[in-house]
Amino acid sequence: MSTRVLVAYGTKFGATGQIAAAIGDGLAQSGFEVDVLRAGQVRGVEDYDVVVLGSAVYLGRWVPEARRLLERRELAGRDVWLFSSGPVGEQARSGAGENWTRPQRITRRGERIGAHEHVVFGGAVSDRSGGFLRRRMAQSIDPASRDMRDWDEIAAWARKIATTHAA
Ligand SMILES: Cc1cc2nc3c(=O)[nH]c(=O)nc-3n(C[C@H](O)[C@H](O)[C@H](O)COP(=O)(O)O)c2cc1C
């Protein structure tokens, strides 16, 4: 039986869902059976051998649906990989403000349940969606730095997961 992988994600505006989809595609191409779901839609993780869980970061925190899934006790018995999607603009280029981009609580929870690692991918903001705060934040960032998702980096991470769990 092939390895079953759940890629679950927490999002507010969809940028993290596209990262999750890219990871899911990469793993499916490597021959795994993959489900990609919003964290809030996950019923149980018992059916999966590997759980890849990620979230957008807002004000230094994961979104609630992803935090709740990470707290689920059954997760401790699975192979877990964590990613955060956040930094845009200067923050992404300079790697500044590690506490804001790599929530420490998430890293610590990951360590407690024996997660493989907690990586950070650049995020994306749009000045056309969301409320006032989000649009203002997006407008304050140079347009060229509003989408810092590096699809090669994301694909490489999916390959690393695939190699680790290769049958
Ligand atoms: C109001 C606001 C606050 C944010 N706070 C953070 C933050 O603390 N750390 C971070 O790395 N990114 C932060 N971001 C960037 C988002 O995490 C990033 O755009 C993410 O990719 C959005 O994902 P989503 O579209 O899936 O919600 C913030 C964005 C907004 C609009």
Side-chain angles (χ1 to χ4, degrees):
M1 223 173 68
S2 73
T3 305
R4 295 206 60 192
V5 185
L6 171 66
V7 183
Y9 63 95
T11 182
K12 282 193 184 178
F13 295 101
T16 310
Q18 290 168 345
I19 296 175
I23 295 168
D25 285 349
L27 290 167
Q29 279 165 25
S30 298
F32 296 91
E33 249 183 83
V34 185
D35 289 329
V36 180
L37 291 173
R38 267 190 82 143
Q41 288 171 342
V42 174
R43 293 288 154 259
V45 297
E46 291 85 353
D47 290 346
Y48 300 99
D49 307 295
V50 179
V51 177
V52 180
L53 174 58
S55 176
V57 178
Y58 286 91
L59 304 179
R61 304 185 73 187
W62 270 22
V63 301
E65 59 177 330
R67 288 206 307 265
R68 279 196 291 271
L69 182 53
L70 183 59
E71 289 304 321
R72 296 249 288 254
R73 215 180 305 140
E74 319 91 82
L75 216 54
R78 323 244 84 78
D79 269 295
V80 176
W81 298 78
L82 304 173
F83 72 93
S84 290
S85 122
V88 287
E90 264 315 298
Q91 202 172 32
R93 295 192 192 290
S94 65
E98 173 90 355
N99 285 345
W100 288 93
T101 57
R102 187 191 306 273
Q104 280 183 20
R105 278 186 188 193
I106 303 304
T107 302
R108 282 200 297 269
R109 170 77 183 143
E111 283 166 3
R112 278 201 297 279
I113 65 171
H116 289 266
E117 60 182 343
H118 174 201
V119 301
V120 178
F121 295 125
V125 290
S126 158
D127 62 348
R128 287 191 297 275
S129 58
F132 176 75
L133 182 59
R134 179 179 160 93
R135 289 200 310 273
R136 277 299 291 273
M137 188 200 155
Q139 284 159 9
S140 73
I141 295 168
D142 163 29
S145 306
R146 287 181 192 163
D147 186 348
M148 297 304 286
R149 293 170 299 175
D150 179 338
W151 300 108
D152 290 340
E153 183 190 14
I154 292 163
W157 196 58
R159 281 196 299 276
K160 178 178 179 180
I161 296 172
T163 306
T164 304
H165 299 292

